[in-house]
Structures are given as structure tokens and as C-alpha cells.
Amino acid sequence: MKFIFTKHAIVDKLAMLKRHQFKTRVTKQLIKQTILAPEHIDEKSDLPKIIASKAIDERHILRVVYRKENDTIIVITFYPAEKGRYY
């Protein structure tokens, strides 16, 4: 499976998390792991986009918004959220 990261996802969001000094380091590998082995998946609220979620520390989950095109996953954006807010 091939992964493509939009400029917004890989440049803008990573820089924003660093500026806000988010303690858990978010990497491409962590984003891929969240997509491939999510704890929760939402395929209904933002069709055709899919939102995968996975815990990244004791207080936060990582939410990754992506879409599938054949055998390619296009990562649109991601963001940390407090546990319990979405599921």
C-alpha cells in the first residue's frame, strides 16, 4: 500500500504541533500506524474521507483524516484530540 501525504498534513500540521510544543512526537510512521491499526474508525461522518483514531499517550488520541484511491492512501490531515471527545 502506498501512502501520499498532502503538503498540509506533512508540512503545515507538523510545524504547528511543534510551535504549540505538543509533547508527543507525531511522525509519518505514527500516522501510518494509526491508519493501519486504528482503535476506532469513522467511515460515515465525512464521506468519502475516513477518520482513523488511536491513543498516543494517556490523555490524547491521534485522529488521521485520509481517503483511499485504489491501493493508495492519501493523508489529508491529522490532529491530536483529548480522549473521550470522539469515542
Side-chain angles (χ1 to χ4, degrees), residues 26-37:
V26 178
T27 63
K28 280 185 175 181
Q29 188 61 33
L30 180 58
I31 293 167
K32 289 178 184 180
Q33 289 172 355
T34 301
I35 293 170
L36 296 174

Side-chain angles (χ1 to χ4, degrees), residues 12-80:
D12 301 339
K13 293 298 281 194
L14 286 176
M16 183 190 69
L17 288 177
K18 189 173 184 178
R19 264 194 326 271
H20 288 282
Q21 299 176 345
F22 187 71
K23 299 207 185 319
T24 302
R25 186 159 184 257
V26 178
T27 63
K28 280 185 175 181
Q29 188 61 33
L30 180 58
I31 293 167
K32 289 178 184 180
Q33 289 172 355
T34 301
I35 293 170
L36 296 174
E39 292 174 359
H40 182 265
I41 194 152
D42 179 353
E43 298 183 80
K44 296 179 182 177
S45 66
D46 200 13
L47 285 174
K49 298 174 203 134
I50 302 166
I51 304 171
S53 303
K54 185 174 192 165
I56 54 174
D57 64 29
E58 55 281 337
R59 292 185 43 221
H60 298 93
I61 59 171
L62 181 66
R63 303 216 350 130
V64 180
V65 180
Y66 68 98
R67 71 177 187 271
K68 290 182 185 179
E69 291 183 7
N70 301 318
D71 65 338
T72 302
I73 291 177
I74 301 168
V75 178
I76 299 164
T77 193
F78 62 90
Y79 52 95

